[in-house]
Each structure stands twice: as C-alpha cells, then as structure tokens.
Amino acid sequence: VPIQGKILSSEVSWDENELSNAIVIEYGNFRYYEGGDQESHLDNEGNIFDTITPTARVAGMVDVATLNHHGHGVNEAFSKLMDPKVAILQGWCSDQPPVESMKYLSQPRKKNDTRHLFATDMFKENLPDMGDLAHLFLSTAGHVVVRVQPLKKQLQTYDVFVLDENRNIASSHGPYHVDKKL
C-alpha cells in the first residue's frame, strides 16, 4: 500500500507518476531493475507514501539498477534489499541526485564493496554539494550501456560503457561479475 491506511481513489489526492511500474529483467543469473518514478516520502498529511520498499522486497537483489525518479526515489530498502553493484542515474535537472539518496548508496554492500554509479547527465555544480559522496560516480555524463555476457559454467560477467555525444566509447568499466543472489 503506497499510503499507509488509504485506498487510492478519486477522493484521495495522489500522483500517478509516483506509482510507476517496475520491472526486473533477467538474463542468465544477471538481474537489471528499472523502477520509473517510484518515490518514498511524507504526503501533505504526514502519512508515509512509499512504493519503493514493497517493490524492493519483491524485486530482491539485482546487479544493475536505475535510480528511481532520477535519484529522488532511493531509500534504505532500495540500497540494502536490491543491493546493486552498479546504479545508473538518469539525470537531467540541477537537484538530481539528492544528497540523502547518495548517503544510502554510499553504504557498503552486502559483499562489503562499493557501488559504482554512472550518471547520464549531472550538473557539475552538484558535485561540490555532495562532498565526499561525489567520488561514487565513475561517470557524470553520457549514454550508459550495459553489455551482459552469456552464462558459462555458472559464471557470468557484464561491462558498462559510457558513450559520448557521437556514440563513441568514452570509458569502459568491468568486467563485473554477476553476484550470487542471496
């Protein structure tokens, strides 16, 4: 239930955008999450509006995730339950991502390693506001492409490529090993 104790109807004010569908794409043991503009926040009456936590519970661990709602839809459940090694920020505005979301993503993963973040477009003036959290971004501009290799003998890898405006590879990262899902 996105708003605790309420049924969404025409009598209740709600934003359809925050109720985005989420999808997990699987290829071999690799799992990719896309959650659109899902959110977690207090509504105008002080009630918790949270589509992220129930979605994270159902989605489970993933290897790569896009950050919900341009980074605004990240909470502790997203970070801990889905636990992506690679996270992609589809940014376009000066308030993306919020520092609070970055704090969740900076927490160690279950494997006790760091997350790698890639942004399609981040305003450079945001980086100083993030302080030490800015180092999590391996890229702050460009098309982000994830290429997954076929599963071979229970092992699988993927690479992340960042493309420039001419679709040339600006940087490549990996290979990453597909995590064993707990």
Side-chain angles (χ1 to χ4, degrees):
V1 176
I3 302 175
Q4 294 176 348
K6 293 196 178 193
I7 296 174
L8 300 180
S9 67
S10 60
E11 293 88 38
V12 177
S13 174
W14 52 279
D15 183 356
E16 177 180 277
N17 189 51
E18 297 173 330
L19 298 173
S20 296
N21 286 327
I23 185 170
V24 174
I25 300 168
E26 295 180 341
Y27 176 65
N29 292 332
F30 176 83
R31 301 184 82 231
Y32 183 99
Y33 168 84
E34 167 58 57
D37 284 345
Q38 292 196 6
E39 280 274 357
S40 178
H41 58 79
L42 296 177
D43 71 7
N44 293 336
E45 298 171 10
N47 298 307
I48 296 172
F49 179 94
D50 183 6
T51 58
I52 300 167
T53 301
T55 300
R57 286 184 184 132
V58 172
M61 288 184 68
V62 298
D63 298 288
V64 177
T66 57
L67 301 181
N68 294 322
H69 210 161
H70 315 285
H72 287 274
V74 175
N75 66 7
E76 188 171 19
F78 180 97
S79 176
K80 288 188 174 181
L81 297 175
M82 288 197 270
D83 197 30
K85 171 66 179 175
V86 171
I88 301 169
L89 168 69
Q90 299 168 355
W92 64 272
C93 187
S94 63
D95 69 342
Q96 301 165 352
V99 172
E100 184 169 334
S101 294
M102 296 305 303
K103 288 179 182 175
Y104 291 122
L105 294 169
S106 70
Q107 297 171 357
R109 297 183 62 236
K110 290 175 184 163
K111 295 188 86 169
N112 218 18
D113 61 351
T114 58
R115 265 176 251 288
H116 291 176
L117 277 64
F118 299 87
T120 58
D121 188 17
M122 188 187 317
F123 286 50
K124 297 290 185 207
E125 57 269 16
N126 284 7
L127 294 173
D129 292 340
M130 283 191 246
D132 292 340
L133 300 173
H135 79 278
L136 295 173
F137 282 93
L138 300 184
S139 173
T140 57
H143 297 280
V144 180
V145 177
V146 178
R147 182 174 182 191
V148 184
Q149 300 300 322
L151 179 64
K152 292 182 182 177
K153 297 181 183 178
Q154 298 301 315
L155 298 175
Q156 193 168 18
T157 61
Y158 60 99
D159 295 279
V160 177
F161 300 96
V162 179
L163 308 182
D164 65 17
E165 63 276 357
N166 296 315
R167 297 186 184 160
N168 295 314
I169 297 174
S171 64
S172 62
H173 307 269
Y176 295 99
H177 293 274
V178 171
D179 285 337
K180 181 178 180 181
K181 310 306 182 278
L182 302 176

